[in-house]
Amino acid sequence: MLEDIRRQLEGWLGETEFAAVRNTDPVALAARFPKALSADSEQAAEDAVTAAEARGNPGLLQRHRALRAGIVWARFRFEEREGLAEAEDRLGRSAAKLPDGASAGWSALCQMRDRAPVRAARAAGERAMAEAAAAVADGRVEMARRRHEEAQRRGAKDVRGVFERFEGIELSKVAADARRFLEATRDAYRENLDWLLKRHDASLESAEAHDIDWARHEFRRTLPAPRDRMSKILEGALKWMGLDATAHGKLHRGAAAAPPCVVARRKVPGEVHFLLHLEDGVPAWAEALGEWGRALAAAWTPATLPMEHRVLGDPSVPLAWAALLALAPLERDWISRVLDFAKSKDAAREIQTLHLAATRHLAGLLEAEIDLATGSTTSEAAELLTSATLARFQPGLLLETASAWFATAHRLRAAAAAASLANLLESRFETWHRNVETGKFLVAAWNLGRQYGLAELLEKLGAEADTFGAMSKRFLERLA
């Protein structure tokens, strides 16, 4: 029975990801893989965990725990699909008034905030988005209430207990590491953010979240990186690292019509798709290179590994590979050599500050999600994001920004692990992002699949265990 469950769960996960490439009815998809989403399958996996614990077999226990977690999260995602669709639909039909009295719908407000060529329009769009989201927030609140009830039904105090049981990660420790990181980088961040905002006609005293987004947008003027060069340059960047952009034909590459870039692991390693979205600006290039790296990691995962080690395991592991490759375009040497940009010092300082702002945002968001889970209001929790980024975050947007079941913790752990891995690569290969030995190291690591948790993987590869300390030190060195 377990083998049938494994096969159906892998099929359901793969086809669900592939739905980003080809639209698929989730209900029809679930009907094809009933054992992936059933309570009986979860119980079978639970029984297998209990049996493995009794036998004292750590390898089997790890696999069965991964299978159990995979089924649980798959069931949660499927059960929440209607609530998510309803929330998105209500949001899409919502509207808010702009300063000139005109009313605008959600889609138009998003366009204003993300694409308007005038700073004031972006600010107005963000504030109106917060108003519109707050007006229909009851749907998100209801989903949070259901998660809380589900956690209690499973014997946990709240959703934190469910996350910790099935992920095997102590959330309080990740939160403590996040606070340690925020404290270690506080002074350097304040100084450099002040410098960054002044370069873009803003002020630290009155900064809001849209001011940092505007600086990210305007960085394209500081360092031109047009979309028509993006594909060729990123492919060349992979080649510098000794990596083939298609994993020797294992990775199917296409174009994404709209952001973001898409990684669809329909069948690992047999059918992994990467859709590249062309966009101006080094920040977008860095994110795309990271997603390309995540796709390559999936493509290089051996078919001989058990299903749990191919597609399940610690979710932070594939995210760490993405975060690692995304670091390359942020380096001064990369900017100078790849983009042939003479003023690389200020450009590197600016993009490192933007990256630190994004990482501190993640740390603040995790704290905010934990506060929400313990009963704080959105206004109270949003203050944690404001404190982390030093730019006022609109409370009305918090429920739209927060992740379900603490997925933010995985992203933050991955960012810290990427810093530790980058330090390891630098110690071995110096300028790792233009050394072909890097590719050999990465392919060997990707061949391990997901059979190790993040901490175990870093130990096996020889990377520093204190990942948050490594990340703090890395930022401080680059912003000194």
Side-chain angles (χ1 to χ4, degrees), residues 75-277:
R75 293 187 68 201
F76 285 168
R77 284 194 293 271
F78 185 73
E79 289 167 2
E80 290 185 346
R81 76 193 186 286
E82 291 183 357
L84 287 170
E86 182 180 349
E88 291 295 330
D89 181 62
R90 289 189 65 194
L91 196 61
R93 290 185 282 106
S94 67
K97 283 191 176 182
L98 295 170
D100 63 1
S103 180
W106 181 258
S107 178
L109 294 175
C110 290
Q111 282 289 103
M112 281 184 66
R113 196 227 8 214
D114 297 338
R115 302 289 176 182
V118 179
R119 174 195 227 101
R122 290 188 177 224
E126 181 171 272
R127 291 166 191 151
M129 282 176 68
E131 178 188 331
V136 295
D138 54 318
R140 299 286 188 190
V141 171
E142 174 62 18
M143 291 185 69
R145 185 188 66 78
R146 290 178 185 173
R147 290 189 192 111
H148 182 76
E149 289 180 349
E150 177 64 23
Q152 292 188 323
R153 187 183 72 78
R154 290 173 174 272
K157 183 178 180 181
D158 53 41
V159 291
R160 292 174 297 174
V162 174
F163 175 88
E164 291 181 344
R165 182 183 181 213
F166 293 114
E167 294 294 5
I169 297 168
E170 191 177 341
L171 200 57
S172 59
K173 183 180 183 305
V174 182
D177 284 336
R179 287 191 291 273
R180 178 162 59 95
F181 166 73
L182 289 171
E183 178 62 26
T185 58
R186 182 190 58 191
D187 293 342
Y189 178 63
R190 177 178 290 276
E191 177 185 344
N192 284 279
L193 181 65
D194 182 46
W195 171 81
L196 174 72
L197 292 173
K198 286 176 180 175
R199 282 171 67 89
H200 296 281
D201 301 319
S203 166
L204 188 62
E205 288 70 31
S206 60
E208 297 187 16
H210 64 82
D211 287 305
I212 296 178
D213 289 339
W214 177 256
R216 187 181 190 274
H217 166 75
E218 278 212 318
F219 185 67
R220 298 180 303 174
R221 298 183 182 179
T222 304
L223 179 58
R227 68 187 67 191
D228 57 358
R229 299 178 60 202
M230 181 180 184
S231 180
K232 183 178 179 180
I233 286 184
L234 294 188
E235 192 168 344
L238 292 170
K239 188 175 181 180
W240 269 19
M241 286 184 258
L243 293 168
D244 179 79
T246 67
H248 300 313
K250 298 177 185 178
L251 181 63
H252 305 276
R253 181 174 147 201
C261 296
V262 175
V263 177
R265 306 170 302 152
R266 191 180 188 189
K267 186 179 179 183
V268 176
E271 202 169 319
V272 182
H273 296 256
F274 174 61
L275 305 185
L276 175 66
H277 179 256

Side-chain angles (χ1 to χ4, degrees), residues 367-391:
E367 289 194 302
E369 288 175 359
I370 292 172
D371 261 35
L372 286 173
T374 56
S376 292
T377 65
T378 53
S379 294
E380 291 168 336
E383 280 301 313
L384 294 167
L385 267 170
T386 298
S387 175
T389 62
L390 303 182

Side-chain angles (χ1 to χ4, degrees), residues 438-451:
T438 295
K440 296 176 184 178
F441 174 92
L442 291 174
V443 170
W446 294 339
N447 268 271
L448 298 173
R450 295 169 65 172
Q451 59 187 300

Side-chain angles (χ1 to χ4, degrees), residues 416-418 420-421 424 453-465 467:
S420 180
L421 286 165
L424 172 66
L454 190 59
E456 294 174 291
L457 178 65
L458 294 174
E459 181 181 5
K460 187 172 184 64
L461 296 176
E464 187 177 347
T467 57

